[in-house]
Amino acid sequence: MCAMNRSPHSLTAANRALSVSALNRQVKSLLENSFLSIQVIGEISNFARPSSGHWYFTLKDSKAQVRCAMFRGRNTATGFVPREGDEVVVTARVSLYEGRGDYQLICERMEKSGLGQLQQAFEALKAKLDKEGLFEQSRKRPLPAHPKHLGVVTSPTGAAIHDILTVLKRRFPGLPVTLYPTAVQGQEAAGQIVRAIELANRHASADVLIVGRGGGSLEDLWPFNEEAVARAILDSAIPVVSAVGHEVDVSISDLVADQRAATPSAAAEMLSPDRNALNLRLQQLRRRLLSRMSWQLDKKRQQLNSARQRLRHPGDKVREHMQAVDRLELRLARATNRHIQLQRSRLEQLQRRLQRVTPINRINQHRERLTQIEQLMPRLMQAHLERSRLRLAQQSGKLQSVSPLATLERGYSILLDSKGQAVSDSTRVNPGDKLEARLHQGRLQCTVDSIDE
């Protein structure tokens, strides 16, 4: 066994050397103290989100890259999850991951590139238009309950028009739709949207407009935050529904429009009648109508039966009048007999008085007077009977004039069906039915050949 000899110089150098961990700690401290907070712009790559909720990614440009970490307590306030290729601006501290010796950025905030300037422009325009009263609820117009024609201002190739047509096909496929095509993002989009709204107003065929597109970043949605688009919506004579982005997105167009929909699909749902609900309502109304008609028919049928029971046969009325004539004749006979009895009683009284006063002349005179009275009495009685017969004939004539039998004497007839009911309506008989015609004298058996209504 041999011993290794070390020189004093090598021992001194070893004592002065830093360990790797000590070096990394010093570099980490130096970096963190030198770069307290900086903003870095770059493109996201190698994005990873483990179950811990922390974000790890690389921020790069065309010439370099740097590793980044954004812990869960910070990234929950970002409001979006970055994707590969997104250009973002991070506010971060420069640090060192001691375990690998890699320097990295510890991100405190993240926003998409240009978002800060756009957000400021959005807030400024929003405040300006709000001050002018463009967002006032009182100036917004009601939407038609059942639109007859729908206008859509959007991209002809985007998802928005596809979603709208899909909803309409499901809910109310008969609703006419006119597409006014326009770009929905980019520098030319705002002008095209304005011209499309103006064109829809010149056509004046639609009674409501959907202006919108699918979701996207603030930059993608920016044409709907342009003042020109807001004022075109304001000036539209046709009510406008703004359907820009997803539910979390709110644009200037949403605030100015008469109604805001969270998505194009929601706008189509809002404006289209529900075919199934309408069919259900029609069925309910049909059932109510049939029930009401059935009730009315039953009521009229009861009224008809009641009237039929109250209606008396003409023969009954004739018999009543005949009985009345018989009663009058009997009264006349009784009155005549009473009158004769009275005259006889007076005659007897006169005879008794005559016997009491016996002058022969007066007796003769009275006898002659009596003879005259006896001769006159039959004539008076005959005259009275004639007057009574005349009145009786007049009453009988009046009775005969209202009697159905008099109608039969003039050549008319009464048609009776097989049940003996009078036929007054041609719809109650059919060709081939057997009828009986009652005449003034006799009856005829008839067969129906044809019916003229």
Side-chain angles (χ1 to χ4, degrees):
M1 184 175 182
C2 60
M4 179 179 293
N5 294 323
R6 294 184 177 180
S7 66
H9 177 72
S10 63
L11 291 174
T12 302
N15 291 334
R16 292 200 304 268
L18 294 172
S19 66
V20 174
S21 59
L23 174 63
N24 285 349
R25 277 197 302 272
Q26 291 186 27
V27 172
K28 177 181 180 181
S29 177
L30 179 63
L31 289 173
E32 290 179 350
N33 290 326
S34 299
F35 300 95
L36 297 178
S37 180
I38 60 173
Q39 286 188 325
V40 181
I41 183 171
E43 182 180 308
I44 296 284
S45 68
N46 300 322
F47 182 81
R49 184 169 57 170
S51 60
S52 63
H54 307 319
W55 292 353
Y56 300 100
F57 55 92
T58 299
L59 204 60
K60 67 178 184 178
D61 58 19
S62 59
K63 297 180 180 179
Q65 64 182 19
V66 62
R67 292 181 181 274
C68 302
M70 192 171 191
F71 300 116
R72 184 174 61 184
R74 296 293 184 178
N75 62 38
T76 53
T78 300
F80 69 97
V81 178
R83 297 174 295 182
E84 293 286 328
D86 283 353
E87 186 175 67
V88 298
V89 176
V90 298
T91 301
R93 296 179 290 106
V94 181
S95 185
L96 184 81
Y97 183 62
E98 298 180 31
R100 289 196 306 266
D102 294 335
Y103 100 92
Q104 61 181 1
L105 299 180
I106 305 300
C107 300
E108 303 291 334
R109 289 195 312 166
M110 177 188 294
E111 58 187 20
K112 293 185 178 181
S113 178
L115 183 62
Q117 294 83 356
L118 290 178
Q119 189 65 38
Q120 291 178 4
F122 174 87
E123 296 297 337
L125 180 60
K126 178 181 176 183
K128 174 186 176 183
L129 298 182
D130 189 22
K131 186 176 181 180
E132 293 182 24
L134 269 65
F135 306 154
E136 290 293 334
Q137 193 66 33
S138 58
R139 69 150 198 83
K140 298 190 177 185
R141 296 158 296 185
L143 303 180
H146 296 287
K148 297 180 176 62
H149 196 115
L150 178 61
V152 181
V153 176
T154 191
S155 169
T157 59
I161 186 63
H162 175 268
D163 293 344
I164 290 171
L165 295 178
T166 299
V167 171
L168 293 181
K169 182 178 180 181
R170 170 174 54 84
R171 286 175 60 86
F172 202 75
L175 180 62
V177 178
T178 299
L179 172 64
Y180 295 95
T182 177
V184 291
Q185 68 183 65
Q187 294 182 351
E188 303 296 327
Q192 292 186 26
I193 294 170
V194 170
R195 289 189 291 273
I197 295 173
E198 293 172 348
L199 179 61
N201 277 268
R202 286 197 299 272
H203 286 174
S205 58
D207 50 3
V208 65
L209 283 178
I210 295 178
V211 178
R213 56 155 291 160
S217 65
L218 183 59
E219 296 95 326
D220 294 337
L221 304 180
W222 191 252
F224 296 93
N225 292 319
E226 294 281 359
E227 183 174 357
V229 173
R231 296 197 181 276
I233 293 174
L234 178 70
D235 296 336
S236 173
I238 304 172
V240 175
V241 175
S242 177
V244 180
H246 298 299
E247 190 165 353
V248 295
D249 303 318
V250 178
S251 65
I252 296 295
S253 297
D254 292 335
L255 299 173
V256 177
D258 298 292
Q259 185 72 41
R260 182 215 175 207
T263 63
S265 296
E269 291 269 358
M270 177 191 306
L271 295 174
S272 59
D274 187 346
R275 176 176 55 180
N276 295 330
L278 289 177
N279 286 333
L280 180 60
R281 177 62 175 162
L282 286 175
Q283 292 174 6
Q284 292 173 346
L285 291 175
R286 180 176 180 274
R287 287 194 294 269
R288 288 178 57 188
L289 178 60
L290 290 176
S291 176
R292 183 68 177 177
M293 288 176 60
S294 177
W295 179 81
Q296 286 286 354
L297 287 173
D298 290 341
K299 181 179 178 182
K300 296 299 181 184
R301 193 174 290 113
Q302 292 174 3
Q303 292 176 351
L304 178 61
N305 292 334
S306 176
R308 185 175 292 162
Q309 292 173 0
R310 292 195 306 270
L311 182 64
R312 301 175 62 183
H313 193 277
D316 296 338
K317 213 164 180 60
V318 172
R319 283 190 290 272
E320 285 186 0
H321 285 295
M322 292 177 64
Q323 291 176 356
V325 171
D326 291 341
R327 286 195 299 271
L328 289 174
E329 186 177 357
L330 292 174
R331 286 177 60 188
L332 178 61
R334 286 194 296 270
T336 302
N337 290 331
R338 283 197 301 271
H339 183 73
I340 293 174
Q341 292 293 337
L342 179 61
Q343 294 299 326
R344 285 177 179 171
S345 177
R346 291 180 63 186
L347 178 60
E348 291 175 354
Q349 291 175 0
L350 288 174
Q351 287 177 344
R352 285 192 295 272
R353 289 175 61 189
L354 179 61
Q355 290 176 356
R356 287 194 297 270
V357 289
T358 58
I360 297 302
N361 292 334
R362 295 192 63 179
I363 291 174
N364 293 332
Q365 291 175 356
H366 283 297
R367 187 172 291 148
E368 291 177 359
R369 178 63 179 164
L370 179 59
T371 302
Q372 292 175 354
I373 290 174
E374 287 178 348
Q375 293 174 351
L376 181 62
M377 182 64 68
R379 293 197 298 271
L380 292 175
M381 291 176 61
Q382 186 66 32
H384 182 74
L385 287 174
E386 289 296 331
R387 287 195 298 272
S388 297
R389 288 194 184 96
L390 179 60
R391 286 198 297 272
L392 177 61
Q394 291 173 347
Q395 293 294 328
S396 298
K398 291 180 181 179
L399 179 62
Q400 188 69 13
S401 66
V402 297
S403 171
L405 299 178
T407 303
L408 298 182
E409 288 179 358
R410 293 197 298 271
Y412 291 94
S413 63
I414 298 175
L415 286 179
L416 304 175
D417 58 19
S418 59
K419 298 179 181 179
Q421 299 292 325
V423 178
S424 61
D425 187 349
S426 63
T427 59
R428 291 181 50 188
V429 297
N430 298 308
D433 286 358
K434 300 293 185 178
L435 302 178
E436 179 181 296
R438 180 177 178 183
L439 307 178
H440 174 60
Q441 293 183 352
R443 300 171 184 263
L444 299 177
Q445 301 299 324
C446 306
T447 302
V448 178
D449 294 329
S450 62
I451 297 173
D452 295 330
E453 295 184 3

